[in-house]
Structure formats: structure tokens, C-alpha cells
Amino acid sequence: MNLFDVYPLNDITITSAKGSNVWDANGQKYLDLYGGHAVISIGHTNPHYVQRLTEQLNKVGFYSNSIKIPLQVQLAEKLGQVSGKTDYQLFLCNSGAEANENALKLASFYNGRKKIIAFKGAFHGRTSLAVACTDNPKIVAPVNETENIIFLPHNNEQALADEFAKHGNEIAAVILEGIQGVGGIKEASKSFLQKIRSLCDEYNAVYIVDSVQCGYGRTGLFYSHDWAGVNADIYTMAKGMGNGFPIAGISIAPKFKPWHGQLGTTFGGNHLACAAALAVLEVIEKDNLMKNAAEVGAYLIEELKKFEQVKEVRGRGLMIGIELPEELAHVKKDLLFKHFIFTGEAKPNVIRLLPALNLTKEHADEFLGAFKKVLSFT
């Protein structure tokens, strides 16, 4: 049997990892500024994380949600404390797409409506409703197509207000990334986030903030939307939540009242997943990683803006987009194969930096030095 060939692969095999570095099968060391799509939040093979998982695996790795799992309660309490949303409720699942699916479903249960507002440039996942809310027709199969999704221009308050004025009583939810990831590191403005909140309140729609990539402390705040000073009704999260172990969740406002069977999952919230997520939150809290993300990220953004060849630097904390002109499309590949630095990309020509939240200034300087060299030879 062959693998289903859906991923364009670099000819690199990673065999070990520690902190912000990984090593390939030939012993070559790399600086990891991508963290496997923003997943590695506390560094590769963090000792506390490894210990937490090992100890749990030696006790019990899995049992179903048909029994009490105290680790779930501990995780909910710790997540509420670190995120500042202590009165919210937690539902655990397995991936970002699944988190968004459940959030959208919960919104529709809440107000009995079908219409969802999403935005140009959005990426919310690849499953049924999540992919329908994703602004990429190429990955939306015919069976996923629905007339219930309304795409509006990003950061356009007037278009949003006009849509609510026309169809506000049909709108179940508004779903938005605080900073679009796949869309090119584009941040929602404070006034736009506040406008969504006020319109959802006025029309009894549900405000869903997709924090799968931009959340979990990456921007220096737990949820990137927090800088607007308003609460969402549902926060979705995944990538950095388990530092590589598959876990996701939705944080749900107290106004939602659950009933048995409303949502469900086989693997979500299993013992190992909860141990991984608890370890992540414990390290974020103990090592003050949100503060580090804010400080090192601000330093990187300031330094990157000094390069004349860079068209624009966008983002916040350690979620950074570097927009380059078309003639510098080779920079990402040169960083990887000539300077051994992993970065991400967003089309058409944006380099994405999504490193671990404990990235050091020394690692930032290593990247800046390599970036300068690559630009010098163009």
C-alpha cells in the first residue's frame, strides 16, 4: 500500500528534536521557526511534558467519556485560570477542524438558525462545515457546498453591519480568526472585533473566535482576540494545546446550557491528551511564556521592518508574516536548504514564523542573520 499523495514533501527526515531545534537523519541541525504548523508551543521534547506523558502512560492511556476522568476537570480549571475565562465551559475533541465544527453546531442549536458569516481569506479546517467556511473553493468538495455560508470582506465593518441589517435574524454565528494564518497573517482590527460583538448581541447571533492557530498564548495574550477587550461566545483551540499530542477544545460561555448527547467524541479528552494539555499550560504559566512571546515577537517584528526588500511585516507576538516581492520567492527555500531554518508560508509570497513560545532572542538573532544573508545574495 502506498501513502495517499496529498502533501508536497521536502526531502528531510527529522529523527530528534529539542527546544527550538530539530535534527535530521544525517545529523544536520535545524532551527525550527514553524513548529509543525504552530503546534510546538513549549518546545520539542520539553522535559516536564515528556515526564507528564510518560507517567500518565504508565497508569492509563485511554478510556472513554462514559466514565469520570478527573484530568478533564483539572484541565478545565487550569485552562479557565490561564485564559482568564473561569466561568466558561470546556468541551474536548481532537483537532481544530473538529473544534470549529462543534462550535458552529452549538451555535445553530442555540438560536435555531442556519446562516454563518465568515470572511475572505479565512481558513477554518477541512471537514464538512469548517471547510465550507474556508475561503478556498479548491478544497471544498461538492458535498461540502452550502448556501448557508456568507463570505464578507475582512475588516470591513460597514459590510458586516449591512449584512446584519438585511439578514440578522437568520444568522446563527460569525466565525473569525483573530489573525488569519493561511490567509497571510492578517490581523482583525480592534474596532472590527468589537463591532462583531455588538452586532451578535443585538441580533442574538453567536460570536465564534477561531483561535486554533492564533491562540494559546502565541500573540502574548492567551487568545489573540483578547486585545479588543470583548469576550467571544465560543473560543476554538487546538494546535498549541498539546505541543504535538492531538487535542482540541472549545471554551463555551455560560449562557449555553448543555444536554446529554448534544456533542460527543470517542478520543476527545482522553487521559494522555489531558496530561499533554496540562503540561503545556503548566509550562506556559511557570515559564511566563506569553510574556516571552510578546517580547521576542516584538523584537523580531521591529528588526524585520528594517529590511528594505520586505514589503510588509504583519502579526503580533510569535505569529509573524513577512511579505516579500515576487522576485524573492526563493527566500523560504534558501532559508531551509542553505541555512537550515524551517519557516512556513502563505500564498502568494508570505513567510510565516510560528515558533515555540519559549523562542530565545539568540534564536531570533540566528534567523535575522540568515535572513540578511539570503537577501544580500539576491
Side-chain angles (χ1 to χ4, degrees):
M1 181 183 290
N2 294 321
L3 293 173
F4 198 54
D5 188 12
V6 292
Y7 299 115
L9 301 176
N10 293 305
D11 189 16
I12 298 170
T13 302
I14 299 302
T15 57
S16 63
K18 186 175 180 61
S20 289
N21 292 113
V22 297
W23 287 262
D24 69 16
N26 299 316
Q28 177 61 55
K29 180 180 179 182
Y30 297 77
L31 176 62
D32 183 11
L33 295 188
Y34 195 49
H37 308 295
V39 166
I40 302 301
S41 51
I42 59 171
H44 294 281
T45 60
N46 179 281
H48 179 66
Y49 175 83
V50 172
Q51 181 183 2
R52 259 287 205 171
L53 276 171
T54 303
E55 289 177 352
Q56 186 59 49
L57 187 57
N58 282 322
K59 295 175 183 175
V60 55
F62 174 84
Y63 205 75
S64 81
N65 286 302
S66 62
I67 50 94
K68 289 183 177 180
I69 301 177
L71 284 167
Q72 293 183 353
V73 178
Q74 294 171 31
L75 177 56
E77 289 174 350
K78 177 61 76 173
L79 179 60
Q81 174 193 338
V82 177
S83 69
K85 307 291 189 286
T86 55
D87 59 342
Y88 278 52
Q89 307 157 88
L90 178 64
F91 175 77
L92 293 165
C93 48
N94 307 283
S95 70
E98 190 180 344
N100 285 330
E101 291 280 349
N102 280 291
L104 292 162
K105 184 177 182 179
L106 194 59
S108 186
F109 272 134
Y110 173 75
N111 53 29
R113 302 172 185 170
K114 297 180 180 180
K115 299 293 185 184
I116 297 160
I117 292 177
F119 297 95
K120 295 292 184 181
F123 187 96
H124 296 295
R126 293 175 179 271
T127 54
S128 182
L129 191 52
V131 80
C133 294
T134 292
D135 186 24
N136 182 356
K138 186 177 181 181
I139 62 171
V140 180
V143 73
N144 303 131
E145 292 173 0
T146 171
E147 295 179 354
N148 288 326
I149 312 302
I150 303 160
F151 283 102
L152 297 180
H154 188 249
N155 266 339
N156 189 320
E157 295 177 37
Q158 190 59 55
L160 183 68
D162 290 347
E163 188 61 41
F164 266 100
K166 292 176 188 173
H167 304 111
N169 293 326
E170 301 174 54
I171 295 168
V174 177
I175 186 167
L176 174 80
E177 300 155 272
I179 301 176
Q180 291 184 340
V182 175
I185 314 296
K186 294 178 181 175
E187 186 171 32
S189 70
K190 182 181 290 188
S191 61
F192 190 55
L193 295 170
Q194 292 171 343
K195 188 69 171 179
I196 294 172
R197 177 69 277 169
S198 65
L199 287 167
C200 284
D201 286 340
E202 183 179 350
Y203 289 90
N204 196 34
V206 175
Y207 181 14
I208 301 170
V209 297
D210 179 343
S211 295
V212 169
Q213 186 173 131
C214 60
Y216 243 76
R218 176 155 297 281
T219 61
L221 300 168
F222 195 81
Y223 299 117
S224 65
H225 310 68
D226 286 348
W227 78 297
V230 293
N231 286 325
D233 296 310
I234 304 175
Y235 297 85
T236 67
M237 64 204 91
K239 293 186 184 296
M241 190 174 184
N243 202 53
F245 196 99
I247 183 170
I250 59 176
S251 183
I252 306 161
K255 70 181 183 182
F256 294 85
K257 306 303 178 187
W259 41 268
H260 288 179
Q262 184 180 29
L263 304 177
T265 170
T266 296
F267 297 106
N270 67 72
H271 295 75
L272 274 177
C274 288
L278 278 163
V280 168
L281 289 172
E282 287 159 359
V283 172
I284 286 176
E285 193 173 39
K286 177 178 175 292
D287 295 347
N288 210 1
L289 295 192
M290 287 191 281
K291 182 173 183 286
N292 185 74
E295 291 176 352
V296 177
Y299 171 71
L300 268 169
I301 289 169
E302 181 183 356
E303 293 299 311
L304 285 165
K305 286 180 176 178
K306 296 177 182 177
F307 290 93
E308 291 181 4
Q309 300 99 318
V310 172
K311 290 177 68 175
E312 188 178 11
V313 181
R314 298 189 291 269
R316 183 182 292 266
L318 289 175
M319 186 171 185
I320 300 170
I322 309 163
E323 185 170 350
L324 297 171
E326 189 176 346
E327 61 268 22
L328 295 180
H330 59 87
V331 168
K332 179 181 179 291
K333 185 175 287 188
D334 286 353
L335 285 168
L336 179 57
F337 291 105
K338 294 181 181 179
H339 296 275
F340 309 107
I341 299 175
F342 278 100
T343 61
E345 67 178 345
K347 304 298 183 184
N349 202 27
V350 177
I351 290 177
R352 279 195 288 168
L353 304 184
L354 299 161
L357 307 188
N358 51 8
L359 187 80
T360 65
K361 185 173 177 292
E362 289 72 25
H363 284 135
D365 285 332
E366 181 183 343
F367 166 73
L368 290 166
F371 189 66
K372 182 177 182 180
K373 288 179 182 176
V374 172
L375 294 187
S376 298
F377 288 101
T378 57

